[in-house]
Amino acid sequence: MMKKEIAHIRKQFKLDHEMLKIFDIFNVYIMKESNEIYHYERQPFALLDREKQELYMINFKKLLTGELDQKMFELKFQEEAEQPTQVLLHQGLVTGNPEEWQDLMLLLVEKMLVDTQYEQDTVVTFVRGQYSRPTKARNEEAEVSEKDEMFANLFILCSVNSTEQQRKTLMFDYVEREFKYNVFVDPIIKLNTPEQGFFYPSVTDNYSDMNRILYCAGKANEPNPRFIEQVLNAEKTVTALEERAIFEDIVKEVAGEQLDAATIAHVYEEIHRVIESNEEEEPPKLDYKDVGRMLSASGVENVTMERVERAFQAVVDDKNYEIKASSVIPKFTSKSIKIDTKVATITVSPQDLKYVRQVNYQGKRCILIEVDEDAVIEGFTLSTETL
């Protein structure tokens, strides 16, 4: 599933969108004390009050917002899981019976309750529906609209949301003209901050991929491993943060602990070039041969494929491990790199890192930044010193 495909789906989650149909919504309320289902209800989404529909749409868009491999993860299902969730979800996807779909989702909720203690009362929301994608890009000169030929994709979306108690308030009664103390006992469902959820099935090149599922974490780089493996029966995932740490450790094994900024910048440029030149549907990955070529091209000395292969084996215990290129490079055109010092924090983009150096001046380490224009601080232009 590509970033553009997720974005296309997310844009459809708004009321009255002609390319999105939500058939049913099913809510399950779980009590934190007993860890049991307290209440559940299913109804056609169209019968909800419009204000409720709007709140749910906001929740679904929030769930599907974030970067791939940071907040959203495309996962393969385990091949030999007992009572596999993939089968359960597929049955729920193809059944035309709302009651059967409800029963299947209840089975999934029961899997969520096993060996789990929720800290707050929790609401699990399921919707089933259909979204559409054009079969081809629109031809501006043609009379036929892109909407005349569409892929119609069925889906199931799940959002897990915690609740919170409302605050005690002091209110003014206009009729009685008096101040009143008011306590609301009904909990608030935190629809603006989903804890986690999923979208099934994943999508590749406009086609539904029944063997994959899109898992959505509540916070970046914090997927729930138990939910992924025990509830979804999907394979473990590695976050972009973890992949970056793996890449850094491999480079240190080969090049040592210290590198100058120009070399690091050159490595990032090589990775960026690989990403930009990729023409495959799948995002590009780096094996030990790719990393070796990049380090050699960046000026790192004494790089051999044998050394890089051993580094992969030492760090991840697998010389054939492949690293997602997009995970190891900060955002290339934004100031995504932080240089922390005791005096200041400097932010630069990977493409501008080549203008930064650490130098020794009068026995002291200094950060030297090459600039094309005068630096201005609080309206004052700094004078230029010659070292």
Side-chain angles (χ1 to χ4, degrees):
M1 187 175 233
M2 304 295 286
K3 186 176 181 179
K4 62 182 179 181
E5 293 171 326
I6 298 174
H8 177 86
I9 295 169
R10 182 173 60 245
K11 287 178 182 178
Q12 295 189 28
F13 277 92
K14 56 184 178 182
L15 294 184
D16 305 322
H17 198 292
E18 58 184 349
M19 296 172 68
L20 176 76
K21 296 178 182 178
I22 297 182
F23 308 134
D24 295 285
I25 184 168
F26 179 46
N27 285 308
V28 182
Y29 194 97
I30 300 170
M31 298 291 289
K32 66 175 181 178
E33 292 88 356
S34 61
N35 206 42
E36 295 178 350
I37 296 174
Y38 177 74
H39 174 72
Y40 61 82
E41 64 178 33
R42 170 188 52 83
Q43 64 184 122
F45 190 78
L47 295 185
L48 292 178
D49 294 338
R50 191 170 179 84
E51 291 77 11
K52 286 184 180 180
Q53 291 179 354
E54 183 67 41
L55 288 173
Y56 280 117
M57 286 296 189
I58 293 172
N59 175 52
F60 302 150
K61 291 188 84 167
K62 287 274 188 180
L63 185 71
L64 296 173
T65 299
E67 296 290 332
L68 276 170
D69 300 316
Q70 295 182 31
K71 196 167 176 291
M72 293 186 288
F73 304 85
E74 187 183 40
L75 307 174
K76 292 182 180 179
F77 287 104
Q78 300 169 10
E79 293 184 358
E80 298 181 357
E82 295 184 9
Q83 299 178 334
T85 295
Q86 180 184 9
V87 173
L88 187 154
L89 287 172
H90 186 263
Q91 290 175 346
L93 196 69
V94 299
T95 182
N97 187 332
E99 291 187 3
E100 182 182 358
W101 174 71
Q102 170 183 305
D103 292 340
L104 290 166
M105 296 306 100
L106 278 174
L107 291 175
L108 186 52
V109 173
E110 290 176 3
K111 295 183 74 169
M112 296 182 191
L113 297 177
V114 176
D115 299 327
T116 300
Q117 185 64 50
Y118 291 97
E119 296 180 359
Q120 303 292 337
D121 286 2
T122 299
V123 176
V124 183
T125 300
F126 298 95
V127 291
R128 66 188 189 111
Q130 174 182 293
Y131 68 94
S132 300
R133 288 182 61 89
T135 58
K136 57 184 177 181
R138 183 174 186 177
N139 185 346
E140 295 294 339
E141 299 179 357
E143 296 181 0
V144 180
S145 168
E146 64 176 349
K147 295 172 185 174
D148 289 348
E149 293 185 79
M150 308 291 291
F151 284 110
N153 297 325
L154 296 171
F155 71 89
I156 294 174
L157 181 145
C158 169
S159 178
V160 180
N161 298 77
S162 62
T163 66
E164 63 181 357
Q165 295 298 321
Q166 299 188 54
R167 297 178 180 178
K168 300 174 183 178
T169 59
L170 187 64
M171 304 177 65
F172 181 72
D173 188 327
Y174 277 100
V175 177
E176 300 294 333
R177 297 191 179 188
E178 63 178 344
F179 294 95
K180 291 183 178 180
Y181 174 71
N182 203 348
V183 179
F184 295 95
V185 296
D186 295 330
I188 297 174
I189 302 170
K190 298 163 68 175
L191 291 177
N192 282 329
T193 54
E195 298 283 326
Q196 61 185 341
F198 63 80
F199 183 92
Y200 175 82
S202 183
V203 182
T204 301
D205 194 22
N206 289 338
Y207 290 96
S208 297
D209 188 345
M210 300 298 174
N211 295 318
R212 296 173 186 260
I213 187 170
L214 183 70
Y215 168 77
C216 310
K219 296 180 180 179
N221 293 300
E222 294 185 17
N224 184 329
R226 187 205 160 273
F227 191 93
I228 289 173
E229 296 176 49
Q230 303 300 321
V231 177
L232 299 181
N233 302 135
E235 295 180 357
K236 290 189 290 187
T237 185
V238 178
T239 69
L241 199 63
E242 292 169 334
E243 288 250 279
R244 188 175 300 178
I246 289 170
F247 178 76
E248 291 171 358
D249 288 342
I250 288 171
V251 172
K252 289 175 183 177
E253 283 280 331
V254 178
E257 292 285 335
Q258 294 186 344
L259 290 174
D260 58 61
T263 301
I264 300 172
H266 203 151
V267 171
Y268 286 153
E269 287 174 356
E270 288 290 319
I271 297 173
H272 181 67
R273 182 184 58 79
V274 169
I275 295 172
E276 290 296 300
S277 61
N278 179 58
E279 297 180 353
E280 303 296 327
E281 284 294 332
E282 291 290 324
K285 294 184 178 181
L286 309 174
D287 59 16
Y288 75 88
K289 295 178 183 177
D290 297 319
V291 174
R293 283 194 295 266
M294 287 178 181
L295 294 179
S296 295
S298 301
V300 177
E301 298 179 353
N302 302 321
V303 176
T304 64
M305 289 303 168
E306 291 74 17
R307 289 188 64 191
V308 181
E309 187 177 351
R310 288 197 300 270
F312 268 72
Q313 187 68 37
V315 174
V316 292
D317 197 27
D318 182 3
K319 65 181 182 180
N320 296 315
Y321 186 83
E322 294 182 325
I323 305 169
K324 282 188 179 179
S326 59
S327 296
V328 301
I329 181 173
K331 290 185 178 180
F332 196 71
T333 57
S334 64
K335 295 181 179 180
S336 54
I337 296 177
K338 286 186 178 181
I339 304 172
D340 289 316
T341 71
K342 182 175 66 175
V343 176
T345 297
I346 304 165
T347 57
V348 297
S349 66
Q351 63 182 356
D352 292 331
L353 189 59
K354 57 190 174 186
Y355 300 116
V356 179
R357 285 191 294 162
Q358 180 172 278
V359 299
N360 189 304
Y361 173 65
Q362 295 182 351
K364 296 181 180 179
R365 280 179 299 214
C366 301
I367 297 293
L368 179 67
I369 304 176
E370 180 185 336
V371 294
D372 294 329
E373 68 285 332
D374 287 330
V376 179
I377 299 178
E378 297 293 332
F380 296 97
T381 301
L382 292 183
S383 60
T384 301
E385 302 178 40
T386 301
L387 302 181

